[in-house]
Amino acid sequence: MKTVGEALIAHLEQRGVDTIFGIPGVHTVEMYRGLADSPIRHITPRHEQSAGFMADGYARATGKPGVCLLITGPGVTNAITPMAQARADSIAMLVISGVNRVATHGHEEGFLHELPNQHAMMREVALWSHTLHRAEDLDRVMTRAFTRMTSARPGPVHIEVPLDVMNMPVAAPATVPALPAPARPAPDAIERAAQALSNAERPLILAGGGALGAAADITTLAERLDAPVITTTNARGLLGGHPLEIFASPSLESVRAVMAEADVTLAIGTQFGRTDYDMYEDGKSPALRHLIRIDSDAAQVSRVRLPDLPIVADAALGVSALLTATEGKQRVHDAAARATQARDAALAEIGAAYADQITMLHMIRDAIPGVRIIGDSTQAIYAGNLICNMPAPRRWFNAATGYGALGYGAPAAIGAALGAPDTPVLCLSGDGGLQFVLSELGTAMDERAAVIFLVWNNNGYQEIERFMRDNAIEPEGVKPSAPDFVQVAQAYGMPAERIIGIAALTQALDRALAAKTAYLIDMIVD
């Protein structure tokens, strides 16, 4: 027999969890009893918001759920922002928290960390939230949490364990129940989709973050159909710079032109989210003729864009079935030429300033082979979300689309570096965004996460200042003073340097790589 807290950790071990992000407190110590002899690694950030962002970065880098262990009250309220970001981007995240004793719920008698109804608050942002009232329910609750978090459209889930339940005795799990298999596509729908795609004169593929697990098959299908592939921000690098990949935003007119001329469009794992398809809110995203939509979530498949043919299925299984159904139906169009034309037109469309920043991003990509660039909401990241050619999936992600939370970059980069330590990680944050989570430089040093922190230092919220001026608003509140980032990094024992402008960046990156530890580059830009 174990306590519920100990058994819960044993469940996580058996589900393959190897890392937990959290800050211990009196409302979670019983679960830490289970961690003492566990192979699970515990990472202590400086703030619970960062714990959530670290779990997010870990999940995106590894493809496994990110897990947080947090105290009741302020612990979970601090985690709401990263949970909302994870929900917007369909990232699997499990948040486990304590909560006060069951008999105290709803009475507001002033207990430590008390909320009127923590469960009700969390279920508004989580896909599913549950209060564990009985020890014997632990197996079922954990299985349901992993099922809800990873099947259909993934996202954050929450389990809260009352203090008086946490130390109840319960049998340790010998094995854990199997999770449901991914949804398979209906054969008749696949046959209809294959026929339409094979007969198309200008087929097109749209790929979102939900398509990452099908990268190789999507490349093969695109080559067979001779169809260009437009990748959204979260799918960037899906085809690894293949001639058929249009690694540019479908919010750009030049990319929308390709969408408008397609006679059959296959959308795979994409939400058609406004920040991807209509980030300028001009309402000019084109209608799509004969839209076939593959999505693992039956509810999602009918949001925003109603398909002519919906296929509710796991992306990898759906694309694999389409490959079988289109066997021997090789088509030859002018897709590579159209993709090249769209990429070139997109680069010309965005203007010189953004084009220069994209050149910098590609320079970073080439200077650090295999690098994963993780960003905050800052100018160079906005540029890369418009156009960025990455050599593989999961090498480019940030919080500048969807929920759009500032302070994401640094903790997400740390989580990614810890989850996949063999892949180099560069975090690109603005001087404003980094100050949301500046103390996490200490976490990077504590955990030996060899992240290169590149600060895009333009002395404030320059993008917002520009937006105000463009709309005839006198700028206000856009010049928060920044510390000496080099001295702050060095105070945590992190090597750091300051450079002026992009021209000095290549040599600075060489020095950062040679350091073989976390490293900060404060780049002053105008």
Side-chain angles (χ1 to χ4, degrees), residues 142-418:
M142 293 296 288
T143 300
R144 189 175 176 189
F146 273 83
T147 299
R148 186 66 189 89
M149 173 174 56
T150 58
S151 61
R153 182 186 174 195
V157 300
H158 168 243
I159 298 172
E160 61 180 17
V161 186
L163 287 175
D164 50 342
V165 176
M166 203 176 293
N167 59 8
M168 286 181 177
V170 68
T175 58
V176 293
L179 300 179
R184 292 187 171 275
D188 61 327
I190 289 294
E191 186 58 39
R192 290 166 58 198
Q195 183 175 0
L197 289 165
S198 298
N199 293 334
E201 292 301 321
R202 286 187 173 250
L204 171 68
I205 297 175
L206 302 175
L212 293 177
D217 280 353
I218 290 173
T219 302
T220 303
L221 182 63
E223 291 172 343
R224 181 175 296 172
L225 300 174
D226 198 23
V229 181
I230 299 171
T231 51
T232 66
T233 296
N234 286 332
R236 203 59 55 78
L238 189 76
L239 272 68
H242 191 286
L244 291 174
E245 183 179 4
I246 301 176
F247 40 80
S249 170
S251 291
L252 296 173
E253 291 183 12
S254 47
V255 180
R256 287 175 169 180
V258 178
M259 296 167 63
E261 67 185 10
D263 55 355
V264 179
T265 299
L266 173 64
I268 308 168
T270 182
Q271 300 175 34
F272 285 100
R274 303 291 183 174
T275 51
D276 276 317
Y277 288 85
D278 192 17
M279 66 177 295
Y280 298 113
E281 298 184 6
D282 58 15
K284 296 180 181 179
S285 187
L288 298 173
R289 289 180 287 167
H290 202 105
L291 174 61
I292 303 165
R293 194 169 175 184
I294 298 178
D295 201 287
S296 59
D297 186 356
Q300 184 64 37
V301 81
S302 61
R303 290 191 180 116
V304 189
R305 296 287 187 119
L306 288 174
D308 298 283
L309 176 56
I311 301 176
V312 179
D314 173 79
L317 295 176
V319 176
S320 176
L322 279 175
L323 277 178
T324 300
T326 56
E327 185 72 40
K329 298 179 180 180
Q330 185 77 34
R331 299 298 305 271
V332 178
H333 305 294
D334 56 349
R338 287 188 290 133
T340 299
Q341 182 180 14
R343 293 192 300 264
D344 292 344
L347 191 61
E349 179 183 339
I350 63 174
Y354 270 171
D356 287 345
Q357 291 163 27
I358 291 164
T359 298
M360 179 197 73
L361 294 172
H362 290 164
M363 181 267 290
I364 294 170
R365 175 202 64 197
D366 297 339
I368 311 175
V371 68
R372 198 187 311 275
I373 301 176
I374 300 172
D376 222 320
S377 294
T378 196
Q379 286 179 329
I381 293 297
Y382 300 144
N385 283 348
L386 289 176
I387 304 172
C388 191
N389 182 11
M390 297 302 289
R394 302 185 189 275
R395 293 295 194 274
W396 172 269
F397 56 82
N398 54 78
T401 61
Y403 194 62
L406 263 178
Y408 172 88
I414 294 169
L418 295 173

Side-chain angles (χ1 to χ4, degrees), residues 88-102:
D89 289 347
S90 303
I91 304 301
M93 180 188 297
L94 172 59
V95 175
I96 302 168
S97 77
V99 71
N100 285 307
R101 296 189 305 276
V102 174

Side-chain angles (χ1 to χ4, degrees), residues 352-354 356-357 360 379-380 431 455-460 462-463 465-466 479 499-503 523-526:
Y354 270 171
D356 287 345
Q357 291 163 27
M360 179 197 73
Q379 286 179 329
D431 55 293
V455 185
W456 181 268
N457 192 338
N458 57 19
N459 189 34
Q462 195 176 99
E463 194 77 8
E465 179 180 356
R466 180 177 301 160
K479 291 290 185 182
I499 61 175
I500 306 299
I502 296 172
M523 184 170 67
I524 310 299
V525 295
D526 182 359

